[in-house]
Amino acid sequence: DCHEPHASQQAKLIARPGNALCTECHSDQNKQVAFPHAAVTDGGCITCHKPHASNNAALLREPGADTCISCHSDLPAAMKAAVPHAPVAAGECASCHNAHGSDVKGLLKDRTDRLCYACHEDLEIAFAKTAAHQPVRAGDCSACHTPHGGSEAKLVKKSGSALCADCHGELMKDDAASATHAPFASGD
């Protein structure tokens, strides 16, 4: 059903143009999303998949995360970061991302907080019982944490008060004419 036996308007006697050939059978991959993956819209299915056979699952051109790395050159550094995110280190991009497209920015499978709480459910319960920081209430884990990997424990973007200063810079200024609270002065 993929090739016409005698003649076609498409090269290689393909029966239908572009992704239409694949989505004829794989209709679940043809839904309209707010954020389609450029690999799908620009290069088509064959950007990541081989059309006939592959040694990899889902006929991927490369095994697992290597398919993603072939375009996303920043991933190897994240995988080898001092503090990598466990799914990234394991090459499991699909734990958080939908490779074909998503209604959530970043090709995420769900809102950031829902994705994080799927693995960190203890934190969701703890945060519900406390006065939560505004990014936590907004479900914006990536305001303070780097999702793929970094140099700081718990994947925070910066250490100590430097992280707080990004949003609370005015509050972080030291007034030289006043006494400074010891924890603040030490960066805690």
Coordinates of all heavy atoms in Angstrom, one line a residue, residues 6 15 21 30 42 48 63-64 79 87 95 106-107 127 130 145 167 186:
H6 N 3.2 0.7 -10.9 CA 3.6 1.1 -12.2 C 4.0 2.6 -12.4 O 5.0 2.9 -13.1 CB 2.4 0.8 -13.2 CG 2.0 -0.6 -13.2 ND1 0.9 -1.1 -12.6 CD2 2.7 -1.7 -13.6 CE1 0.8 -2.4 -12.7 NE2 1.9 -2.8 -13.3
A15 N 3.0 6.0 -2.9 CA 1.6 6.2 -3.2 C 1.0 7.5 -2.8 O 0.1 8.0 -3.4 CB 0.8 5.1 -2.5
L21 N 1.6 9.3 3.6 CA 1.8 7.9 3.4 C 1.9 7.1 4.7 O 1.2 6.1 4.8 CB 3.2 7.8 2.7 CG 3.6 6.3 2.3 CD1 2.7 5.7 1.3 CD2 5.0 6.3 1.9
N30 N -1.3 11.6 13.5 CA -1.6 12.7 12.6 C -2.6 13.7 13.3 O -3.1 14.5 12.6 CB -2.4 12.1 11.4 CG -2.4 13.0 10.3 OD1 -1.5 13.9 10.1 ND2 -3.5 12.9 9.5
D42 N 8.8 19.4 9.1 CA 9.8 19.9 8.1 C 10.4 18.7 7.3 O 10.4 18.8 6.1 CB 10.9 20.7 8.7 CG 10.4 22.0 9.4 OD1 9.2 22.4 9.1 OD2 11.1 22.6 10.1
C48 N 13.3 10.6 11.4 CA 13.6 9.8 12.5 C 13.4 8.3 12.3 O 14.0 7.4 13.0 CB 12.7 10.2 13.7 SG 13.0 11.9 14.2
P63 N 19.2 4.1 17.8 CA 18.6 3.5 19.0 C 18.2 4.6 20.0 O 19.0 5.5 20.2 CB 19.6 2.6 19.6 CG 20.9 3.0 19.0 CD 20.6 3.7 17.7
G64 N 17.1 4.5 20.6 CA 16.6 5.4 21.7 C 16.9 6.8 21.6 O 16.6 7.5 20.5
M79 N 23.3 14.6 29.6 CA 23.4 13.2 30.0 C 24.6 12.9 30.8 O 24.6 12.1 31.7 CB 23.4 12.3 28.7 CG 22.1 12.3 27.9 SD 22.3 11.5 26.4 CE 21.6 9.9 26.9
P87 N 15.8 10.3 33.9 CA 15.4 9.8 32.6 C 16.4 10.2 31.4 O 16.6 9.5 30.5 CB 14.0 10.5 32.4 CG 13.6 10.8 33.7 CD 14.8 11.1 34.5
S95 N 10.1 9.7 28.3 CA 9.5 9.7 29.6 C 8.7 11.0 29.8 O 7.7 11.1 30.5 CB 10.5 9.6 30.7 OG 11.1 8.3 30.7
G106 N 7.5 22.7 24.5 CA 8.7 21.8 24.7 C 8.4 20.4 24.4 O 9.1 19.5 24.8
L107 N 7.3 20.1 23.7 CA 6.8 18.8 23.3 C 6.6 17.9 24.6 O 6.8 16.7 24.5 CB 7.8 18.1 22.4 CG 8.1 18.8 21.0 CD1 9.1 18.0 20.2 CD2 6.9 19.1 20.3
F127 N 4.0 19.7 49.3 CA 3.7 21.1 48.9 C 2.3 21.5 49.2 O 2.0 22.6 49.5 CB 4.1 21.4 47.5 CG 5.5 21.3 47.1 CD1 5.9 20.9 45.9 CD2 6.5 21.5 48.1 CE1 7.3 20.8 45.5 CE2 7.9 21.4 47.8 CZ 8.2 21.1 46.5
T130 N 1.7 22.9 52.8 CA 2.5 24.1 53.2 C 2.2 25.3 52.4 O 1.4 25.3 51.4 CB 4.0 23.8 53.0 OG1 4.3 23.6 51.5 CG2 4.5 22.5 53.7
H145 N 14.5 24.8 38.6 CA 15.2 23.5 38.3 C 15.5 23.4 36.8 O 14.6 23.8 36.0 CB 14.4 22.3 38.7 CG 14.1 22.3 40.2 ND1 15.0 21.8 41.1 CD2 13.1 22.8 40.9 CE1 14.5 21.9 42.3 NE2 13.3 22.5 42.2
C167 N 15.0 36.1 40.7 CA 13.7 36.7 40.7 C 13.5 37.7 41.8 O 12.7 38.6 41.7 CB 12.6 35.6 41.0 SG 12.5 34.4 39.6
S186 N 25.7 35.1 54.6 CA 26.5 33.9 54.2 C 26.0 33.3 52.9 O 26.5 32.3 52.4 CB 26.6 32.8 55.3 OG 25.3 32.3 55.5

